[in-house]
Amino acid sequence: MEQVATHYLWWIVALLLIGGEVILPGYFMLWIGIAAAAMGILLLAIPGMGALAQAIVFGVFAFVSCFAYWKLVRPRLERIPPGNERLNRRGEQLIGQRYVLCEAILNGRGKAKVGDGTWLVTGPDLPLGATVEVVGIDGTTLRVKAVDVG
Amino acid sequence: MGSVVALVVVVVVVVVLAKLIRIVPQGYEWTVEMFGKYTGTLTPGLHFLIPFVYAIGRKMNMMEQVLDVPSQDVITKDNAVVRVDGVVFYQVLDAAKAAYEVANLETAALALIMTNIRTVLGSMDLDESLSQRDAINAKLLGVVDEATHPWGVKVTRIEIKDISPPRDLVDAMARQMKAEREKRANILDAEGFRQAAILKADGEKQSAILEAEGKKEAAFREAEARERLAEAEAKATTMVSQAIAGGDVNALNYFVANNYVEALKEMAKSPNQKTLLLPMEATGILGSLAGIAELAKDSLATQQRAPADGVSGRTPPLPR
């Protein structure tokens, strides 16, 4: 460890971590790698730091870089293309849609025909064949409200 | 020594960060447990979890999934044994429920579907089950979807893939179909023959009727002709009688004699050589000759000539 200049050592660690990110997607190694590269730069500026001190500073750097990503970078990167906010959320895709009851709502529970299947619905008591609008979802049950047609 | 400690510190930092940062991939939701108790669900994306306190429980797949329903023998209402298999599409909508309400989601769902297939098919007879897949699918979906609700699972589709009766039953069905078609063909043949026979008979009847009508018409006309003839004869007779009444009887005698002579001529011409003429009344003929003689006498008298001898064999000249 003493044979190689310490800042080079940090850079090697940084490259390993960043390379590992490419091979094993986990997303956190990239930021730790960046922290390690920053340590190398710091050691170039301030040589002769103790090993333990280096480790602690590196730990602080790693946490800081991760939180910086979480708080500053991620909100700018995470732009979901419009229309895909409800990907994999089948129930939420139905919110705002109107369907016809295929089973009257009695005591707050009934069924509506959605596509070629049915969904359980909860809402105000309504007769068979009434049109309802989906306002929300609890698990596998749609919350509906009555809609005046015509 | 310091460098070893430093290395340990670095490794610990990396491990702690790896535990702290959680990235849930799209299409999955992870449940979070705090000392073994469910506290929440992580949606796709980046999350920070405090290590040692929180742990990841179950990683639930939130995408729609396909389950193959293995084939099984089912007895229909009319006691036919058929092999049935199918596919099920389902989607977890509530990760927490799917993770903790049921111990083994796939096994439970499959068991439910297989028993329900037996129930639904057991209430139908073979022909119905082969022809009403839609009804079977709809029934199954209704029951299974309802039953899987408590597990936070939406069964979106159940399709019966194959309903296969045993070999000998299939053969019998094919035979039945063939027999059915042959029966139809035979019936059509017979119908054709029947129609043809009816048409033929109808034709014969029509022709007989027409023939009879023709005969009847002909008879009518013949009768009419005879009537006309009789009328004409009657008229002629009347005219002759009138002429006789108004004139001389000798004129009549002339006609009769003329006819006798004509008749004799005909007899002589007859090709039958055995014809033997035996005048029944020679006197009649002679009488007629006498009548002719009378005629001659009269006519001669009117012409102021010498009278011919009373009876002669020569034919007098015709009066003018």
Side-chain angles (χ1 to χ4, degrees):
Chain A
M1 205 161 167
E2 267 74 31
Q3 280 81 9
V4 187
T6 322
H7 58 270
Y8 282 126
L9 195 72
W10 278 115
W11 284 344
I12 289 166
V13 169
L15 282 174
L16 280 175
L17 283 165
I18 292 166
E21 171 66 42
V22 173
I23 295 161
L24 300 167
Y27 226 57
F28 65 94
M29 286 197 208
L30 174 64
W31 307 104
I32 303 170
I34 288 169
M39 274 304 299
I41 295 164
L42 188 77
L43 282 184
L44 265 183
I46 316 160
M49 200 186 269
L52 191 60
Q54 281 182 35
I56 290 164
V57 171
F58 164 70
V60 172
F61 269 21
F63 277 91
V64 166
S65 74
C66 283
F67 275 99
Y69 160 70
W70 189 33
K71 288 291 174 195
L72 303 171
V73 184
R74 197 172 62 113
R76 295 187 190 183
L77 288 179
E78 272 205 357
R79 278 211 206 90
I80 299 172
N84 285 8
E85 304 88 344
R86 290 170 175 175
L87 199 63
N88 288 112
R89 310 193 73 76
R90 182 182 282 262
E92 286 173 20
Q93 291 168 11
L94 305 178
I95 291 171
Q97 304 284 338
R98 291 181 176 193
Y99 298 108
V100 173
L101 292 182
C102 63
E103 209 172 275
I105 302 183
L106 266 180
N107 306 321
R109 292 178 70 79
K111 274 186 188 173
K113 186 158 178 56
V114 176
D116 62 349
T118 56
W119 282 70
L120 277 180
V121 296
T122 56
D125 282 13
L126 285 168
L128 176 81
T131 306
V132 292
E133 188 175 308
V134 181
V135 292
I137 176 152
D138 306 312
T140 53
T141 309
L142 300 173
R143 281 197 306 274
V144 297
K145 65 174 189 194
V147 173
D148 285 334
V149 182
Chain B
M1 186 67 215
S3 61
V4 173
V5 173
L7 199 64
V8 168
V9 168
V10 168
V11 168
V12 166
V13 164
V14 169
V15 169
V16 166
L17 276 176
K19 280 281 187 186
L20 176 79
I21 298 167
R22 294 294 184 166
I23 286 138
V24 181
Q26 182 67 50
Y28 287 82
E29 281 186 11
W30 294 358
T31 60
V32 180
E33 294 168 358
M34 182 182 175
F35 304 120
K37 185 178 182 297
Y38 168 78
T39 54
T41 306
L42 299 182
T43 53
L46 182 88
H47 300 273
F48 283 79
L49 277 188
I50 300 161
F52 320 116
V53 179
Y54 294 105
I56 297 298
R58 308 274 170 84
K59 299 176 176 180
M60 299 306 296
N61 186 343
M62 303 302 282
M63 295 178 263
E64 193 161 345
Q65 293 172 76
V66 187
L67 264 185
D68 250 319
V69 181
S71 70
Q72 52 171 346
D73 284 335
V74 177
I75 298 176
T76 59
K77 194 174 168 184
D78 49 357
N79 298 328
V81 181
V82 290
R83 285 195 80 75
V84 182
D85 58 356
V87 281
V88 184
F89 292 79
Y90 72 95
Q91 187 167 15
V92 175
L93 295 184
D94 190 326
K97 277 186 176 175
Y100 300 113
E101 291 280 4
V102 59
N104 194 331
L105 182 61
E106 275 193 21
T107 313
L110 267 184
L112 191 68
I113 287 151
M114 284 174 81
T115 50
N116 272 294
I117 286 176
R118 299 180 88 86
T119 308
V120 171
L121 281 178
S123 66
M124 289 180 162
D125 48 34
L126 180 64
D127 290 345
E128 252 184 310
S129 66
L130 288 172
S131 61
Q132 300 195 358
R133 300 267 182 108
D134 285 355
I136 297 172
N137 293 343
K139 260 189 196 170
L140 281 174
L141 188 60
V143 175
V144 174
D145 191 26
E146 190 86 50
T148 52
H149 264 288
W151 306 339
V153 170
K154 179 88 196 150
V155 176
T156 50
R157 194 174 284 275
I158 299 179
E159 297 284 348
I160 297 291
K161 266 200 304 203
D162 212 3
I163 301 178
S164 47
R167 188 72 251 157
D168 52 351
L169 244 178
V170 173
D171 288 347
M173 279 153 87
R175 277 214 316 278
Q176 183 195 346
M177 203 180 79
K178 196 176 156 199
E180 194 77 48
R181 298 198 176 239
E182 274 174 358
K183 175 186 156 192
R184 286 219 299 261
N186 286 337
I187 286 172
L188 282 173
D189 271 349
E191 284 266 327
F193 283 129
R194 178 170 165 260
Q195 289 270 27
I198 287 172
L199 283 172
K200 206 169 151 189
D202 206 35
E204 280 171 3
K205 176 186 158 190
Q206 288 281 4
S207 85
I209 287 172
L210 283 172
E211 210 173 309
E213 274 189 348
K215 277 184 181 165
K216 180 180 155 192
E217 186 73 16
F220 266 104
R221 294 195 178 196
E222 222 170 282
E224 212 173 314
R226 290 227 308 270
E227 255 173 47
R228 298 280 311 136
L229 199 68
E231 263 174 38
E233 267 180 15
K235 220 171 183 174
T237 311
T238 312
M239 281 164 80
V240 169
S241 332
Q242 276 173 356
I244 291 167
D248 202 338
V249 78
N250 286 330
L252 187 65
N253 281 343
Y254 162 76
F255 277 116
V256 173
N258 203 15
N259 278 353
Y260 261 114
V261 173
E262 283 290 316
L264 280 173
K265 197 162 78 179
E266 287 293 315
M267 293 275 193
K269 267 190 199 167
S270 165
N272 195 345
Q273 295 302 315
K274 286 175 182 168
T275 301
L276 196 65
L277 182 64
L278 287 174
M280 282 174 71
E281 284 181 342
T283 51
I285 299 172
L286 293 175
S288 72
L289 291 175
I292 295 166
E294 291 274 326
L295 274 172
K297 226 189 280 178
D298 283 357
S299 60
L300 288 172
T302 51
Q303 286 177 0
Q304 303 276 321
R305 281 199 189 165
D309 50 341
V311 181
S312 74
R314 285 177 308 176
T315 314
L318 286 170
R320 279 178 296 187

